[in-house]
Structures are given as C-alpha cells and as structure tokens.
Amino acid sequence: MEDKIAKLQAATVEAEANMKVCKEALELAEKGVASAKDKYRNLLKDEQETLQVNDTELPELLETHVRAKNVYETAQARFTTNKRYLEAFQQKNGA
C-alpha cells in the first residue's frame, strides 16, 4: 500500500508541475490574442474596413489559445483526480 501511495504522490506532483506549465502557456496565448486585438482596434478606420481577418495572425492565435486551454483543462483534471485518489489512499492507509 505504501508503494502505491508513493507512486500516486509522485504522479500527483508531476501532474501539478505539468498543470502549472500549461497554465503559463494558456496565459501567454491569452496575452497574444489580446495584443493582436488591440493592434487591430488601433488601426485607422479605413484600414480596419479593408483588412480581412484571414490576412492577420488572429486565426492562428485563436487556434493556439483553444489548444492551450484544452491542454490546461486536461492537465488540471488529471491533477485533481490524482490528488483526490491520493487523499483517499492516505485516509484508507491511516484508518
């Protein structure tokens, strides 16, 4: 039982570290999208009217943001699940 707890604890620590890295990537993607939106909002009215969305980096930035969000949510769910199981095993072992 101690071996299972040790392995689960290591997996939980690893999942938490991965979740933090994914959160940083998500925040970076959000900043990129916000920066691009500000850039295009500040263009002159004439330039805004003639500019096509596909002529900008917005589609790629939005796709990166969606991917980063999905990866972060997956990492967060993995950490939460590992933590829950770890706590259950620790309580079971202590009881």
Side-chain angles (χ1 to χ4, degrees):
M1 186 64 125
E2 293 292 327
D3 187 44
K4 285 184 180 181
I5 291 175
K7 287 181 182 178
L8 193 51
Q9 183 140 23
T12 303
V13 168
E14 183 179 333
E16 183 176 24
N18 186 39
M19 182 182 70
K20 289 178 181 178
V21 169
C22 292
K23 185 174 183 175
E24 290 174 8
L26 176 59
E27 290 171 352
L28 186 62
E30 288 172 345
K31 287 179 185 177
V33 170
S35 175
K37 285 181 178 180
D38 287 342
K39 174 182 165 183
Y40 295 115
R41 280 189 194 120
N42 291 329
L43 290 176
L44 296 174
K45 187 76 170 167
D46 294 341
E47 291 174 332
Q48 285 182 5
E49 290 174 357
T50 59
L51 187 65
Q52 298 290 318
V53 173
N54 291 334
D55 295 337
T56 69
E57 70 272 11
L58 275 174
E60 291 85 7
L61 290 171
L62 291 172
E63 184 178 339
T64 300
H65 178 261
V66 168
R67 285 185 187 156
K69 184 176 180 183
N70 290 339
V71 171
Y72 172 69
E73 288 173 351
T74 301
Q76 187 178 34
R78 184 175 296 121
F79 169 70
T80 302
T81 301
N82 285 355
K83 186 176 177 184
R84 186 175 60 240
Y85 278 113
L86 177 62
E87 290 170 354
F89 271 97
Q90 286 173 335
Q91 283 181 349
K92 185 177 180 181
N93 193 36

